[in-house]
Amino acid sequence: MIRIIVNSEMYAYDMYHITKAFCPGVQIEQKVEKEQTNLVEIKIDDDVLMISENEIKEVEDRKLKKRRVNICLYKWLKKVTGKELAWGIMTGVRPTKPIMSLMEKGLSDEAVAAWMQENYQITEEKAKLGIEVAKKEKSLLDQLDYENGYSIYIGIPFCPTTCSYCSF
């Protein structure tokens, strides 16, 4: 059994789903204890991860705090389990969303891939796949008339595999 204790709902979803992705089939007990001093405390057998506020105190943005905590968890689980997740910490995020945002800022494919690998811990292969799909998506979106037309979102899974943690 795995025990997860977080001091805020802000961390609960990601901690559970990232852990579940590394340890499918293992029972996970999770609770929010607002009075707990650590942001996150996770116990798998004799291994314990504790993430304190001090580890992210210099980060002010809420999204960046969550991502930093998620990366700490990911790296710890990777070490404890010996596994790696192709899509890293991307749970509940359309992979092309951050990729498209970076492309619109003018970053090269190589810079986008490196950023995604560092900030979401995805593999190089998935970074390249995400960029390829984002480019296709952009070419289709460029054909739309945003001023006078309509916008619709259609989710189409593009990954050739189905991971246990994926909602796409």
Side-chain angles (χ1 to χ4, degrees):
M1 172 173 315
I2 299 171
R3 295 190 196 299
I4 301 174
I5 303 170
V6 295
N7 74 352
S8 168
E9 285 288 337
M10 178 170 109
Y11 302 109
Y13 178 89
D14 291 345
M15 296 298 102
Y16 177 86
H17 287 282
I18 293 169
T19 303
K20 192 70 172 169
F22 273 96
C23 306
V26 178
Q27 184 180 354
I28 298 176
E29 178 185 289
Q30 181 178 22
K31 57 184 169 179
V32 178
E33 290 184 0
K34 295 185 187 304
E35 63 280 349
Q36 177 175 290
T37 54
N38 289 315
L39 301 174
V40 174
E41 205 171 289
I42 300 179
K43 184 173 186 193
I44 300 176
D45 301 323
D46 293 330
D47 293 301
V48 179
L49 170 68
M50 290 186 265
I51 304 172
S52 70
E53 184 69 43
N54 284 341
E55 294 177 60
I56 60 165
K57 67 182 175 190
E58 77 280 355
V59 181
E60 293 186 25
D61 181 75
R62 185 176 192 266
K63 278 184 173 181
L64 294 178
K65 273 186 190 227
K66 280 183 67 175
R67 190 178 321 133
R68 179 79 60 88
V69 169
N70 291 351
I71 289 171
C72 286
L73 172 65
Y74 180 88
K75 288 180 176 179
W76 179 74
L77 286 168
K78 184 177 169 182
K79 186 175 125 191
V80 168
T81 66
K83 297 178 186 176
E84 190 172 353
L85 304 177
W87 286 104
I89 63 169
M90 295 197 93
T91 60
V93 178
R94 264 188 359 261
T96 57
K97 187 175 180 179
I99 291 171
M100 187 75 77
S101 175
L102 295 167
M103 289 169 61
E104 288 172 351
K105 290 179 182 176
L107 272 68
S108 68
D109 290 359
E110 294 78 18
V112 170
W115 192 93
M116 291 298 293
Q117 288 175 278
E118 182 179 332
N119 289 277
Y120 284 102
Q121 303 295 300
I122 69 175
T123 63
E124 181 179 1
E125 176 189 3
K126 294 302 181 188
K128 287 177 180 177
L129 176 61
I131 290 167
E132 181 183 323
V133 171
K135 284 180 176 181
K136 182 64 174 173
E137 193 175 296
K138 180 158 178 30
S139 74
L140 294 171
L141 290 172
D142 286 345
Q143 298 173 33
L144 298 178
D145 180 2
Y146 286 99
E147 296 293 322
N148 301 309
Y150 295 93
S151 181
I152 186 169
Y153 170 74
I154 301 171
I156 302 172
F158 60 84
C159 188
T161 59
T162 304
C163 300
S164 62
Y165 56 90
C166 185
S167 62
F168 300 107

